[in-house]
Amino acid sequence: MKNAIIKIGLFTAVLFLSVNCGVSKKSKTAVETNQPISTENKEVYVPKSKAEKKPFVPDCDAENRWADSIYSKMTLDEKLGQLFFANAYSNKDSVHVNKVKELVSKYNIGGLIFFQGGPVRQAKLTNIYQSKAKVPLFIGLDAEWGLSMRLDSTYAYPWNMTLGAIQDLDWIEKVGRQMGSECKRMGIHFNFAPVLDINTNPLNPIIGNRSFGESKTNVANRASAIMKGIQSQGVLCTGKHFPGHGDTAVDSHKALPTVSFTKEHLDEVEIYPYKQLFDEGLASVMVAHLNIPSLEPRENVPSSASYNVVTELLQKQLGFEGLIFTDGLGMKGASNFKPVGDLELAVLQAGNDIFLCPDDVPVAIEKLKTFYAKGDITEERLAHSVKKILHYKFKAGLNKYKPIDLKNLQKDLTSPDKDALQYNLFENAATVLKNKKDILPIKNLNQKIAYVKLGEDVNSAFVSTLKKYTEVTEVSNTNIDSLNKALKKFDLVILGYHKVNKAWEKHDLNSNELFFLNKIAANNKAILDVFAKPYSLLSIKNFDDLEALMVSYQNSTISQIVSAEILFGAKQAKGKLPVSINDNFKVNEGIDTEKIDRLGFETPENVGMSSAILSKIDAIAQKAIDGKMAPGMQVLVARKGNVVFQKSYGYQTYDKKVKVSNTDLYDVASISKMISTLPNVMQLYDKNKVELETKLGTMLPMFAKSNKKDISFKDLLNHYAGLIAWSPFYKSTLDAKGFPMEKYYRKIPEKNFTTKVADSLFIRNDYHDTIMKFIADSPISLKKEYKYSDFTFIILKEYLERATHEKLEDLSQKNFFNSLGMNYTTYNPLLKFDKNVIAPTEIDTYFRHQLIQGYVHDMAAAMEGGVSGHSGIFSNAMDVAKMMQLFLQKGSYGGERYFSEATFDTFNTCFYCAQGVERGLGFDKRLGKDGPTCQCASASSFGHTGFTGNMAWVDPANETVYVFLSNRTYPEVGEEGNKLAKEKIREDIQKIIYESIIK
């Protein structure tokens, strides 16, 4: 049904509240010219025989008895009342409510069509109105993209034009099922959908995004899928606007549009979808108010009042036997034709069953009674429509009417599965129209990328998701020359065109936006992503300067997230264009992009997890904060290659000044071993630079004459080499009062004292040699047993740097962090980030005597200038998850292979499990009661923890990644010790993750 939610122009807000049938603004009638049928629309539909057709619900004896029984007891007033479907609102005052009550109780109307309001308010009013009805009311709603087309606080599905881009019709049928389920829950019997108009006119002011597109087969197939889904829930569909409103340039709310097509064209194109849906069980049809000279020779007679259209064509020629609604009778396309009462008589005589949105029910009924008395309306004609209405009330279950259950109504209408479906819909709709040299997906993350916004609407979800993949800089300037100058230093520019996410809003690029777009594209390597109707592209005459073009259709949060994922290859563009864009792009064009193995973003339900169960993590996190186990934390959960839970809790410190955000950095302590030193070691192993039995004396000559010379590479990484756990190196550099001695430190950098430990504290540069000599000379256990040691990774850093002749921080950046998009991962973060985005780890009162924020907490790593093999990395949960996903994918990420699957399998092997050593080569694999896991992880799982309150764990058996980062050491590690570990906070969260997996 054509509606009046939003009208373009000065009076948008006022018109949003207006009734379908009562728009009073005048407009000149436009006359369309008949156009040749496009190749796309030349397919001929062969109707099924009557025996082959699928009725919505077949008639039965009980239905016949009920309808006949009700009809036989009706007065003339009651019979006539059944023909009326009046307007109702749930956002209006008691005057309106009382008027509707009167229409129900006094005038016995057959149904109500609800407009603006809210779900709970509408449900309450529905129950009230139904209680006043002698025969239960039909309740209808325009819910073309769900209840939200009319009701606040409800779910908005994509517009039909967006669904028109989707190729897999199963997704569209799922939309229909969900919409039908929501209507059913709301006591709604008619969803006035689907729209069957073929939008061949880009300037159509009232259909546009409400159409599935310009191809009759595409429209028919998608409308059929929606219908099947809705009607599977027992809710009746209404196909509209018969015989076709798609090629008009006038809004029939304001005037009577003329359609000048020949009968042959109408039959072959506009009516095509109706033929298909009639065969498939469409319950009802809405007849439009159109002037169609080829069907109705009388001048300016609306199609809704034409016997030729409603009876001869719709019922006789096409054989439609379902309910027939008029479009809103208050619309100027109808109300200008005849006055109240006379109009109802005309549309009844034309063959309609139900008068939608009548202007004045009492007056109309009185006039119809007069017409009945005069014989203008026969008993046979009245019985035909009223009995049909009663039959459909039985089919809708109104013979056993039950009031709407208000308990949990709002919750039932907003379940998590709706978001889950939405992610899939926008992935399947997104349409790439240009992809020069396969620039999409963006694989190279080492390039400098800028983002420029066009359009006036929000873009935060798009930009924040882009930044989860790599460093993306937002650039803006109102002067185009200055803007292009700023963009010179970037390798790639992503242009996002963001328009208000409302179906009737104007989405065209204005002259200034078009100017900026053309200038930027001409001077830069640019990708344009359009979060608007595809028709917004019509004003772009030349696309040659763009490297890539994607239509994301709508500017919703989920469409923005999915679009960013597609740009970086976490998802694949699959959509095809539902309409043509001048001669540049034709209907059904679209380029499928490549999906590469980067982390994406999904709802838990789409990867077989329960968001309701995952939400229990909130309480555990709060327990930790309330118990002063940590002032704040980040928690991330991913499964099957998609992040499904990412939240930050609390504050950086207990004074609650700075809230933790998802992009804040934490000192990850020993997780540094796993995400920095270890992958570099794995690469050397992969290149056969070192073997499992290679001895330490061979790896590092400094150990050739030490008691450690025969330690194998395998034993070293398994912590099975007898090394001592650690040494407090810093203590020997302090004076009797516990302060740094001048022999070792300076407050400002001086010659030979440039290694920074903390603010105003620099250690002598040769102290690294002292540390390495201490390790080389340190005793080893004579007993072969497991003993975790930081020395392992301090040694491996030395080995890496000597073997590659590069610093560890440079190796990790070059080999992994840059190409993985780990832009928040670094040693010595104060060189790149503001201190305010880094969570402090301690108020040091024993060594550095200052707040430790942006400097590594580990004392030995600090004495190494913040870069050590065992500690020093700062990161956030998202970045850590990328490295963990690389491990889960056995060395592959983002379309790039970092080391072989065989190498990963070797490093994830528990070589000494039989001896009680539950470790891989560098990975922790402890699953017992003394381990860091919930004891629900699989034997193939692996990960690491960090002293400052961190955990990163992967379980290949369930394809899960779990990251927990905190600063539990702030402000100090008290006498109670590690409360976070004692209370098993990380383990309890991990347990929730496993419980959330739907078996």
Side-chain angles (χ1 to χ4, degrees):
M1 177 179 185
K2 296 180 296 300
N3 51 70
I5 293 181
I6 301 173
K7 299 293 184 232
I8 300 170
L10 182 62
F11 302 107
T12 299
V14 175
L15 289 172
F16 182 87
L17 300 174
S18 68
V19 186
N20 274 27
C21 0
V23 181
S24 60
K25 294 173 79 75
K26 294 182 179 180
S27 176
K28 293 181 180 179
T29 301
V31 180
E32 276 72 17
T33 56
N34 199 14
Q35 296 176 4
I37 298 173
S38 67
T39 304
E40 184 63 34
N41 285 328
K42 283 188 176 179
E43 183 175 328
V44 176
Y45 184 79
V46 180
K48 295 179 181 178
S49 67
K50 188 169 183 178
E52 294 175 311
K53 289 185 177 182
K54 301 174 184 177
F56 169 61
V57 176
D59 291 354
C60 63
D61 290 341
E63 177 183 316
N64 294 330
R65 288 195 299 271
W66 185 83
D68 290 343
S69 171
I70 298 294
Y71 188 82
S72 66
K73 299 172 186 175
M74 282 181 162
T75 66
L76 176 61
D77 287 68
E78 289 169 346
K79 292 173 184 177
L80 291 171
Q82 288 297 303
L83 304 175
F84 290 84
F85 232 82
N87 315 330
Y89 293 77
S90 57
N91 66 349
K92 289 193 173 184
D93 59 17
S94 59
V95 174
H96 170 76
V97 172
N98 290 332
K99 179 182 177 182
V100 176
K101 285 180 183 177
E102 183 182 40
L103 292 176
V104 174
S105 60
K106 183 176 179 180
Y107 295 97
N108 302 289
I109 61 171
L112 293 169
I113 174 172
F114 273 94
F115 288 89
Q116 283 71 40
V120 176
R121 287 170 287 162
Q122 177 172 312
K124 288 178 178 178
L125 286 173
T126 298
N127 286 345
I128 291 170
Y129 298 147
Q130 289 284 22
S131 72
K132 305 289 182 184
K134 186 174 180 180
V135 177
L137 297 161
F138 271 141
I139 303 297
L141 191 81
D142 285 313
E144 295 166 19
W145 52 85
L147 300 177
S148 70
M149 184 170 174
R150 295 302 191 207
L151 303 180
D152 59 36
S153 308
T154 56
Y155 205 82
Y157 295 94
W159 305 322
N160 288 343
M161 187 69 77
T162 305
L163 298 180
I166 295 175
Q167 302 305 296
D168 186 343
L169 299 181
D170 286 345
W171 290 117
I172 301 175
E173 188 169 337
K174 287 176 183 177
V175 174
R177 282 201 294 272
Q178 286 200 359
M179 292 198 302
S181 175
E182 291 166 19
C183 286
K184 189 83 169 178
R185 183 67 180 87
M186 283 289 296
I188 295 167
H189 312 103
F190 275 97
N191 182 348
F192 293 114
V195 173
L196 300 181
D197 301 316
I198 300 162
N199 205 79
T200 50
N201 184 352
L203 301 179
N204 193 318
I206 192 60
I207 304 302
N209 262 359
R210 299 166 65 198
S211 168
F212 291 103
E214 69 179 53
S215 161
K216 67 182 184 183
T217 53
N218 288 350
V219 169
N221 292 335
R222 282 149 187 78
S224 171
I226 282 280
M227 177 198 72
K228 289 174 183 176
I230 293 172
Q231 294 193 166
S232 72
Q233 304 302 303
V235 175
L236 294 85
C237 278
T238 306
K240 59 187 185 184
H241 307 85
F242 186 84
H245 207 306
D247 194 11
T248 62
V250 171
D251 180 357
S252 52
H253 292 85
K254 302 176 181 180
L256 182 65
T258 295
V259 175
S260 59
F261 289 138
T262 63
K263 286 182 180 180
E264 292 73 22
H265 179 101
L266 289 166
D267 179 68
E268 192 171 342
V269 180
E270 311 301 323
I271 297 172
Y272 182 99
Y274 290 93
K275 294 177 182 178
Q276 181 173 327
L277 267 67
F278 291 169
D279 284 348
E280 294 172 351
L282 179 66
S284 64
V285 164
M286 182 185 295
V287 181
H289 308 309
L290 301 168
N291 177 35
I292 312 175
S294 65
L295 298 179
E296 175 52 64
R298 292 177 295 166
E299 189 175 354
N300 292 323
V301 172
S303 48
S304 53
S306 169
Y307 184 86
N308 288 343
V309 172
V310 184
T311 298
E312 290 294 336
L313 174 59
L314 178 57
Q315 296 180 73
K316 292 183 179 180
Q317 293 180 34
L318 298 177
F320 183 67
E321 297 178 346
L323 279 174
I324 303 172
F325 288 82
T326 67
D327 206 339
L329 293 184
M331 298 163 61
K332 292 304 176 183
S335 62
N336 286 343
F337 175 56
K338 284 182 183 292
V340 170
D342 297 84
L343 178 60
E344 281 77 3
L345 174 65
V347 297
L348 183 67
Q349 290 177 333
N352 295 278
D353 299 310
I354 295 175
F355 313 141
L356 198 60
C357 299
D359 264 350
D360 194 326
V361 174
V363 170
I365 287 180
E366 286 304 311
K367 280 197 174 183
L368 290 177
K369 287 165 66 177
T370 302
F371 292 133
Y372 183 86
K374 291 166 56 180
D376 294 325
I377 301 173
T378 65
E379 171 60 25
E380 181 184 11
R381 175 67 190 89
L382 186 60
H384 172 79
S385 287
V386 176
K387 284 189 175 183
K388 192 195 292 189
I389 290 166
L390 293 174
H391 273 272
Y392 273 86
K393 286 193 172 183
F394 185 96
K395 295 178 194 295
L398 284 172
N399 60 313
K400 296 179 180 178
Y401 164 75
K402 291 181 181 179
I404 302 165
D405 183 1
L406 300 177
K407 186 178 179 181
N408 296 323
L409 177 60
Q410 188 69 61
K411 181 181 177 182
D412 292 345
L413 295 175
T414 53
S415 56
D417 59 333
K418 302 183 192 307
D419 272 349
L421 176 59
Q422 196 89 309
Y423 273 86
N424 286 306
L425 294 174
F426 279 109
E427 178 182 1
N428 279 271
T431 306
V432 172
L433 294 174
K434 187 174 182 181
N435 193 16
K436 190 184 295 184
K437 296 182 180 179
D438 292 328
I439 192 173
L440 297 180
I442 301 167
K443 295 180 179 179
N444 177 15
L445 302 187
N446 287 313
Q447 59 185 323
K448 296 189 70 176
I449 302 176
Y451 163 82
V452 175
K453 179 187 176 186
L454 298 174
E456 76 291 341
D457 204 28
V458 296
N459 64 343
S460 56
F462 184 56
V463 175
S464 64
T465 308
L466 290 176
K467 291 181 177 181
K468 288 180 180 180
Y469 288 102
T470 189
E471 185 175 349
V472 176
T473 305
E474 295 177 74
V475 181
S476 63
N477 200 301
T478 55
N479 180 278
I480 187 59
D481 293 330
S482 299
L483 179 59
N484 267 328
K485 184 177 179 181
L487 293 174
K488 288 289 184 186
K489 60 183 179 183
F490 293 94
D491 304 303
L492 181 66
V493 178
I494 297 172
L495 290 153
Y497 181 54
H498 302 268
K499 299 298 288 186
V500 176
N501 195 41
K502 294 180 180 178
W504 288 281
E505 287 290 328
K506 189 178 177 68
H507 282 183
D508 300 345
L509 286 140
N510 63 40
S511 58
N512 189 57
E513 290 165 343
L514 196 59
F515 176 71
F516 267 62
L517 170 61
N518 289 332
K519 287 291 186 180
I520 292 169
N523 289 278
N524 300 275
K525 192 176 180 182
I527 295 168
L528 175 61
D529 197 343
V530 177
F531 297 92
K533 305 172 187 177
Y535 286 136
S536 63
L537 298 173
L538 288 170
S539 58
I540 304 174
K541 302 307 178 186
N542 191 314
F543 295 86
D544 291 348
D545 288 333
L546 288 170
E547 302 296 314
L549 170 64
M550 181 159 76
V551 181
S552 296
Y553 294 97
Q554 295 183 228
N555 200 39
S556 68
T557 296
I558 292 177
S559 69
Q560 289 184 35
I561 292 170
V562 169
S563 188
E565 292 179 90
I566 290 170
L567 290 182
F568 284 101
K571 283 185 168 56
Q572 178 185 18
K574 303 174 183 177
K576 306 298 178 188
L577 198 60
V579 293
S580 297
I581 305 301
N582 298 322
D583 292 326
N584 296 294
F585 305 105
K586 296 302 181 183
V587 64
N588 292 329
E589 279 193 37
I591 302 166
D592 289 356
T593 58
E594 181 185 1
K595 183 181 187 297
I596 56 179
D597 50 358
R598 282 195 181 121
L599 276 171
F601 302 90
E602 271 292 356
T603 61
E605 282 69 22
N606 275 344
V607 296
M609 302 178 83
S610 166
S611 55
I613 294 176
L614 282 174
S615 69
K616 295 178 181 179
I617 293 172
D618 294 352
I620 299 173
Q622 195 58 49
K623 174 186 173 183
I625 293 168
D626 293 344
K628 294 197 178 299
M629 301 173 215
M633 62 209 65
Q634 295 174 346
V635 179
L636 182 146
V637 181
R639 189 177 192 220
K640 296 184 177 180
N642 289 283
V643 176
V644 297
F645 186 97
Q646 184 185 10
K647 292 184 76 172
S648 293
Y649 301 90
Y651 295 80
Q652 290 186 5
T653 59
Y654 290 110
D655 60 12
K656 298 184 178 181
K657 288 183 178 179
V658 181
K659 277 190 173 183
V660 178
S661 76
N662 287 343
T663 55
D664 282 355
L665 275 63
Y666 279 93
D667 179 341
V668 301
S670 286
I671 289 179
S672 303
K673 300 167 182 170
M674 180 175 63
I675 68 171
S676 181
T677 311
L678 185 63
N680 283 293
V681 169
M682 294 171 80
Q683 280 196 342
L684 289 187
Y685 176 85
D686 200 55
K687 296 173 182 176
N688 299 314
K689 301 293 185 182
V690 63
E691 298 177 353
L692 293 182
E693 298 304 325
T694 302
K695 305 304 181 186
L696 184 54
T698 303
M699 292 170 62
L700 281 170
M702 67 182 297
F703 289 96
K705 296 181 180 180
S706 74
N707 57 359
K708 303 170 184 66
K709 64 180 181 180
D710 292 326
I711 294 173
S712 70
F713 178 68
K714 180 173 71 174
D715 287 355
L716 185 67
L717 280 166
N718 270 286
H719 298 278
Y720 203 49
L723 300 177
I724 62 175
W726 74 296
S727 175
F729 298 112
Y730 73 97
K731 287 187 176 181
S732 61
T733 67
L734 304 181
D735 61 21
K737 294 182 179 180
F739 285 85
M741 288 191 287
E742 190 175 353
K743 175 182 178 181
Y744 300 103
Y745 299 95
R746 296 288 188 272
K747 291 185 178 180
I748 59 174
E750 296 179 8
K751 184 179 181 182
N752 300 323
F753 288 84
T754 59
T755 301
K756 195 169 189 179
V757 177
D759 285 338
S760 302
L761 191 64
F762 298 83
I763 194 170
R764 56 191 296 166
N765 296 343
D766 61 1
Y767 201 81
H768 168 74
D769 299 333
T770 303
I771 291 174
M772 293 308 300
K773 186 176 187 307
F774 179 91
I775 293 173
D777 294 344
S778 64
I780 60 172
S781 173
L782 297 177
K783 184 181 179 182
K784 190 81 169 177
E785 62 182 355
Y786 166 74
K787 192 168 189 179
Y788 183 83
S789 174
D790 281 344
F791 288 1
T792 292
F793 280 86
I794 295 174
I795 291 169
L796 286 172
K797 171 181 178 282
E798 188 76 8
Y799 166 66
L800 280 169
E801 293 186 344
R802 289 180 181 271
T804 64
H805 306 290
E806 293 188 68
K807 295 291 185 183
L808 175 60
E809 59 266 45
D810 297 331
L811 278 173
S812 293
Q813 203 69 47
K814 180 185 71 173
N815 292 341
F816 294 95
F817 300 163
N818 286 343
S819 55
L820 288 171
M822 293 174 66
N823 299 298
Y824 294 92
T825 303
T826 185
Y827 294 94
N828 292 314
L830 292 174
L831 297 175
K832 292 176 63 178
F833 296 94
D834 187 277
K835 183 178 286 188
N836 292 329
V837 303
I838 307 168
T841 51
E842 187 178 24
I843 299 174
D844 184 339
T845 59
Y846 55 88
F847 170 31
R848 288 162 281 189
H849 299 277
Q850 60 183 267
L851 172 67
I852 304 303
Q853 185 173 15
Y855 296 99
V856 62
H857 175 270
D858 184 270
M859 293 74 75
M863 297 171 78
E864 292 273 43
V867 183
S868 183
H870 73 295
S871 190
I873 284 290
F874 286 73
S875 189
N876 59 33
M878 185 69 225
D879 269 17
V880 173
K882 293 175 184 178
M883 183 64 78
M884 301 310 289
Q885 188 68 26
L886 178 138
F887 290 140
L888 178 58
Q889 292 166 184
K890 297 188 175 185
S892 175
Y893 190 90
E896 184 174 342
R897 178 151 292 284
Y898 292 83
F899 43 78
S900 68
E901 289 190 17
T903 289
F904 172 80
D905 288 338
T906 298
F907 277 69
N908 194 35
T909 298
C910 188
F911 288 97
Y912 296 112
C913 270
Q915 290 76 28
V917 183
E918 293 181 283
R919 298 197 73 91
L921 301 182
F923 295 119
D924 192 349
K925 295 179 69 67
R926 291 173 296 156
L927 302 177
K929 63 180 181 179
D930 296 326
T933 71
C934 61
Q935 299 181 50
C936 39
S938 74
S940 62
S941 72
F942 58 91
H944 218 290
T945 55
F947 181 80
T948 49
N950 312 305
M951 180 176 182
W953 208 266
V954 168
D955 193 341
N958 292 298
E959 299 180 73
T960 54
V961 172
Y962 164 43
V963 182
F964 179 102
L965 301 183
S966 77
N967 55 336
R968 66 102 189 165
T969 51
Y970 182 88
E972 63 180 356
V973 179
E975 294 180 0
E976 294 175 301
N978 190 345
K979 287 176 66 179
L980 193 76
K982 289 178 180 178
E983 293 290 332
K984 296 189 177 297
I985 296 297
R986 293 168 293 188
E987 295 91 325
D988 286 349
I989 290 177
Q990 190 179 41
K991 186 178 180 182
I992 292 294
I993 294 168
Y994 281 89
E995 289 174 356
S996 75
I997 296 174
I998 300 168
K999 302 296 190 290

